[in-house]
Amino acid sequence: MIKQFINKLMGKAPASTLPSLGKRQVVPAKVHGINVDWVDERALNVVRTLQDRGFEAYIVGGAVRDLLLGLKPKDFDVATNATPEQVKAAFRRAFIIGRRFRIVHVVYGRGREHEVIEVSTFRAHLDNTEAEQVKGNERSSKLELANMKHAVDASGRVLRDNVWGPQDQDAARRDFTINAMYYDPETGNVIDYHGGIADAKKKVIRMIGDPALRYREDPVRVIRAVRFAAKLSGLGFKMEAKTAAPLKKAAKLLADVPQSRLFDEMLKLLQTGHALASIEQLKLQGLAKGIYPLLDIVVARSDEQFVTTALNDTDRRVGEDKPVAPSFLLACVLWSDVRETWAQRSAKQPSFPALQDAIDEVFDSRIGDVSGRGKLGADMREIWMMQPRFEKRTGSGPWTLVDQARFRAGFDFMRLRADVGEVDEGLSDWWQEFSMASDSEREDLLLQVRQEQQQQKAQRAPRAHAVRRAPKAEAQDPRFRDVEPDGVDVGEDDGTSPVKKRRRRRRKPTGEAGGTPAAE
């Protein structure tokens, strides 16, 4: 007691932050009702392989939660008491990744059809009195952390956590009760330490332990809380008051989290099929600003028609199990910046280099060095650079455009622009037809465009080219010498004709001293 009082006076961490390890409950299949047919065969293979080698292995986390709620999970994670090295040795294609948290990716399939099952080792719960105290964060303290497996900084944030422990401690160090359950597909049992099944039935999102302390351990839990609340809001879930109360204050701790990690968490918010709901949760929790600069822009523009359409389209594609790319969504969010900067630069330089320079300026001001110069940035640039090319439907341009690897993304972007009235809907329909047509059909489509353009050109032909020569008699009449046949005074320029007219010297009629014709 005296030691705790002294530590409090000196501002030291509490003697122990170890929360209750809960009470182990084994819930059989006849009670929880999980549909084993919804369990991914590859996840089953990972569990069985590890169990056959004498290790404990369970499906864990969000997959168990979704199965309990009657939802078919999209991703499956496995937890085991095998070390990363032992897991890697059990599979032909397995890779140890991470430094802060070492895990194993077991890979099935190849190319775009590949599937990754993430396998983590049971971890001991972090206790400030046993962990090495270091200052700084993962970005600035790599040398200090090089030989450490178990470390937190002075604020209580976990910097490295690679000490293995029993299952009950692994459950205690997870964030929310509904994410801390373990499912054994071989026995059909669910292992629950913190009332996750009961909270799932009550539709409550509740933090394990003291929420303020858990947010300090890992500030990214602030974003995760918002994401889960958004994902489950449609099912009637609410965030527990004690869990929600520290969110706004804890958001300030995100300033010490590496920007690359925040960027990844932002993409999870926007690409898991609940982008609009996530934005609403951010506003509801008072987190519309301050989490991450680029996310602030997304939230601020979420009411704009083009951005709303893009967010809706992303949610729809995820719901239909179609792939989504962060480059496409971010290109939509930042398009207004590119378009405005492009217009400003086009007044001083040719259109194409003006667009290139506008894109560079937007990257510098909005994205920086996190991902703006990598593949994501290259894909965004290509989507934007395609847009003026859609306006040109002559020559070989359309043929080369549809053959580009990113054509579909560029076309989908242009289609969204047509949906909001930024470009003509007929242009979108034409490119849709052209992209799906045979070579002969494409030739016919291009011929139709040429004919339409010729007709439009004829209708817009300059008046100067359509003027017929005046009759000879009128041409000789001095009254008509200074007036064009259309009645346009060649001595004056009304600013509408593209052809610059030559001024003619005005001649006075014979026998007149003034400017009035004799016939008058």
Side-chain angles (χ1 to χ4, degrees):
M1 182 68 71
I2 296 176
K3 185 177 180 181
Q4 291 179 357
F5 179 72
I6 294 174
N7 286 339
K8 186 176 181 180
L9 288 177
M10 297 182 66
K12 293 184 178 180
S16 176
T17 60
L18 192 67
S20 169
L21 298 180
K23 182 180 180 180
R24 178 185 172 98
Q25 293 182 339
V26 180
V27 183
K30 62 181 181 181
V31 175
H32 59 66
I34 285 178
N35 184 356
V36 71
D37 294 335
W38 282 3
V39 179
D40 190 287
E41 188 63 34
R42 288 156 290 201
L44 289 174
N45 179 264
V46 170
V47 170
R48 289 167 181 161
T49 300
L50 292 172
Q51 289 182 350
D52 289 345
R53 291 188 172 222
F55 300 111
E56 296 179 58
Y58 302 85
I59 293 172
V60 70
V64 183
R65 177 200 65 224
D66 288 350
L67 289 168
L68 284 170
L69 296 174
L71 304 174
K72 193 170 184 179
K74 295 183 182 295
D75 300 301
F76 286 83
D77 297 333
V78 171
T80 178
N81 63 347
T83 65
E85 289 76 14
Q86 290 169 330
V87 173
K88 185 177 186 301
F91 300 93
R92 184 173 60 87
R93 297 181 65 205
F95 308 92
I96 298 175
I97 68 167
R99 182 175 181 178
R100 185 170 176 266
F101 297 103
R102 296 176 71 227
I103 58 177
V104 179
H105 279 180
V106 180
V107 182
Y108 292 87
R110 295 185 181 277
R112 291 188 176 183
E113 302 301 321
H114 80 283
E115 177 75 16
V116 173
I117 305 298
E118 189 172 283
V119 184
S120 60
T121 303
F122 295 155
R123 282 170 167 79
H125 191 278
L126 187 67
D127 191 321
N128 288 0
T129 60
E130 298 173 357
E132 296 84 356
Q133 295 288 325
V134 297
K135 295 181 179 179
N137 55 48
E138 192 73 60
R139 292 174 298 175
S140 60
S141 304
K142 289 182 178 179
L143 293 178
E144 296 177 79
L145 294 169
N147 298 316
M148 294 182 183
K149 295 182 178 180
H150 200 182
V152 295
D153 65 11
S155 69
R157 186 165 68 92
V158 180
L159 300 181
R160 179 148 301 166
D161 190 10
N162 291 317
V163 173
W164 322 129
Q167 187 185 49
D168 59 349
Q169 289 193 29
D170 186 74
R173 61 171 295 281
R174 293 180 180 271
D175 44 21
F176 305 101
T177 60
I178 56 175
N179 292 340
M181 295 175 285
Y182 304 77
Y183 173 55
D184 184 350
E186 295 299 294
T187 64
N189 295 331
V190 170
I191 312 301
D192 183 7
Y193 288 91
H194 299 280
I197 292 179
D199 284 347
K201 290 180 178 178
K202 292 186 292 185
K203 298 183 179 180
V204 173
I205 300 173
R206 179 167 61 89
M207 182 73 74
I208 298 172
D210 176 23
L213 177 62
R214 303 310 303 280
Y215 292 136
R216 283 202 300 273
E217 289 176 356
D218 186 1
V220 169
R221 285 175 177 150
V222 171
I223 306 176
R224 285 170 58 82
V226 170
R227 178 155 56 90
F228 291 135
K231 178 178 181 177
L232 301 174
S233 61
L235 298 176
F237 274 73
K238 302 289 184 182
M239 203 181 305
E240 181 202 36
K242 291 182 180 179
T243 299
L247 278 175
K248 191 170 183 179
K249 184 177 180 180
K252 298 176 182 178
L253 299 171
L254 290 167
D256 292 327
V257 175
Q259 293 289 293
S260 58
R261 191 177 179 209
L262 289 178
F263 185 85
D264 291 340
E265 290 296 329
M266 178 195 70
L267 295 184
K268 290 178 183 179
L269 274 179
L270 301 177
Q271 294 194 127
T272 53
H274 311 279
L276 290 171
S278 296
I279 290 172
E280 288 304 312
Q281 279 294 324
L282 288 169
K283 294 177 180 178
L284 181 64
Q285 303 298 337
L287 301 173
K289 292 184 179 180
I291 288 183
Y292 184 66
L294 194 51
L295 182 59
D296 291 349
I297 297 173
V298 176
V299 176
R301 297 179 179 177
S302 60
D303 292 331
E304 297 178 7
Q305 187 180 9
F306 187 59
V307 176
T308 301
T309 303
L311 292 169
N312 265 318
D313 193 64
T314 299
D315 286 348
R316 176 188 61 80
R317 290 183 65 86
V318 174
E320 296 174 357
D321 289 328
K322 294 181 179 179
V324 293
S327 56
F328 183 86
L329 182 58
L330 293 180
C332 291
V333 172
L334 297 179
W335 173 239
S336 60
D337 291 331
V338 172
R339 190 178 64 244
E340 291 170 9
T341 308
W342 181 21
Q344 293 170 2
R345 288 182 170 274
S346 293
K348 300 180 180 179
Q349 60 185 126
S351 180
F352 187 79
L355 178 56
Q356 289 181 313
D357 291 345
I359 292 171
D360 288 338
E361 185 175 329
V362 171
F363 277 157
D364 291 339
S365 62
R366 296 301 196 189
I367 297 181
D369 296 329
V370 177
S371 294
R373 296 298 185 267
K375 184 180 184 304
L376 179 139
D379 289 346
M380 292 172 65
R381 178 184 294 274
E382 196 165 0
I383 289 172
W384 287 330
M385 295 299 297
M386 280 187 193
Q387 299 312 301
R389 296 182 63 185
F390 284 114
E391 303 285 346
K392 300 179 180 180
R393 294 176 289 168
T394 57
S396 62
W399 298 88
T400 58
L401 187 57
V402 295
D403 287 338
Q404 288 198 14
R406 298 291 297 168
F407 167 78
R408 178 52 55 177
F411 168 75
D412 287 343
F413 188 91
M414 188 265 290
R415 177 178 55 81
L416 288 184
R417 293 175 62 208
D419 289 345
V420 300
E422 189 176 312
V423 297
D424 187 83
E425 192 171 346
L427 184 66
S428 172
D429 293 340
W430 187 91
W431 277 102
Q432 173 69 26
E433 188 175 357
F434 186 84
S435 65
M436 304 296 291
S438 63
D439 286 352
S440 60
E441 291 171 334
R442 289 180 177 180
E443 291 285 3
D444 291 340
L445 288 169
L446 290 172
L447 178 60
Q448 292 174 13
V449 170
R450 287 196 295 271
Q451 292 174 344
E452 291 174 1
Q453 291 177 345
Q454 289 172 358
Q455 292 175 358
Q456 293 172 0
K457 184 177 181 180
Q459 293 172 358
R460 295 195 309 263
R463 183 176 297 175
H465 294 94
V467 171
R468 292 174 300 176
R469 288 188 175 183
K472 187 174 182 181
E474 291 183 353
Q476 295 176 348
D477 191 328
R479 291 178 298 174
F480 296 96
R481 287 177 185 171
D482 301 319
V483 181
E484 287 289 339
D486 280 353
V488 178
D489 190 339
V490 298
E492 297 179 359
D493 185 2
D494 65 352
T496 62
S497 175
V499 180
K500 186 175 181 180
K501 302 181 179 66
R502 293 183 303 169
R503 284 185 174 273
R504 296 178 183 173
R505 182 177 298 173
R506 186 174 179 84
R507 297 181 179 179
K508 299 179 181 179
T510 305
E512 293 290 329
T516 306
E520 293 290 319

